[in-house]
Amino acid sequence: DAGVIQSPRHEVTEMGQEVTLRCKPISGHDYLFWYRQTMMRGLELLIYFNNNVPIDDSGMPEDRFSAKMPNASFSTLKIQPSEPRDSAVYFCASSPREGGYEQYFGPGTRLTVT
Amino acid sequence: AQSVTQPDIHITVSEGASLELRCNYSYGATPYLFWYVQSPGQGLQLLLKYFSGDTLVQGIKGFEAEFKRSQSSFNLRKPSVHWSDAAEYFCAVGASGGSYIPTFGRGTSLIVHP
């Protein structure tokens, strides 16, 4: 299996622009998670899906953030408009229902907003 | 609510020396416990997990961890550290029932001296 795939790996954009991050989970995994990692706040859970349905989005910082999972093999995290404080590494992770829910992380997208 | 504490932000060891990274958790029932490793520029990778049974669990890369219910701890150990073990290590706790939202510690950065 190719593991969790994220694109792009690096994104540099200007403040006010729309940013879309993409994730392909491991086939057969029922759960998908979006995290944000910064030096100041560590690893933060933004939102997670179960069978393509958003279960908890309480970690989404503002209305500027939105996430979708149109099917079992694809999810997006969108920031519109972007701000410099959104600069971080964004991780996608997926998890099978069985096995205690250990998570498999993608390589991350490093976002820089100037 | 569950919580995880990793009391050491940084740990420095010499190559070949033994290692112990501390993790304390707070959770009312028997938790699911995990250790993840993050190498620079990469996503988190599962090292080992505890669900039930034998309290000493073996993981990849020669790591092991011991669950001690009386101390609410799940410390990670390795008898002889290699330079390639330099990375960030995260302890995580998952609920064994009810709403599933994993909680990660802030991480411990391991520095290995030659």
Side-chain angles (χ1 to χ4, degrees), chain A residues 1-7 21-34 49-53 68-77 91-96 102-107:
Chain A
D1 199 315
V4 176
I5 299 172
Q6 290 187 248
S7 64
L21 311 182
R22 297 173 177 81
C23 174
K24 176 179 169 56
I26 293 173
S27 176
H29 282 192
D30 295 326
Y31 290 86
L32 184 140
F33 306 82
W34 283 101
F49 296 82
N50 181 20
N51 292 322
N52 313 338
V53 176
K68 294 181 179 179
M69 192 166 185
N71 57 61
S73 59
F74 184 66
S75 177
T76 60
L77 179 67
F91 289 103
C92 175
S94 68
S95 177
E102 65 263 34
Q103 296 178 309
Y104 296 78
F105 282 76

Side-chain angles (χ1 to χ4, degrees), chain B residues 35-37 45-49 57-64 76-78 85 89:
Chain B
W35 275 100
Y36 290 83
V37 60
Q45 179 186 17
L46 181 69
L47 277 176
L48 48 80
K49 60 189 179 186
V57 294
Q58 302 297 320
I60 62 172
K61 305 185 181 187
F63 286 92
E64 67 178 25
L76 182 71
R77 301 195 295 250
K78 187 171 185 177
D85 294 324
Y89 291 81

Side-chain angles (χ1 to χ4, degrees), chain B residues 26-72:
Chain B
S26 174
Y27 182 63
T30 299
Y32 292 165
L33 294 161
F34 309 88
W35 275 100
Y36 290 83
V37 60
Q38 183 181 27
S39 297
Q42 298 185 24
L44 281 70
Q45 179 186 17
L46 181 69
L47 277 176
L48 48 80
K49 60 189 179 186
Y50 171 80
F51 298 153
S52 64
D54 193 347
T55 57
L56 183 64
V57 294
Q58 302 297 320
I60 62 172
K61 305 185 181 187
F63 286 92
E64 67 178 25
E66 186 171 13
F67 170 58
K68 293 186 177 180
R69 183 188 302 276
S70 61
Q71 299 177 19
S72 296

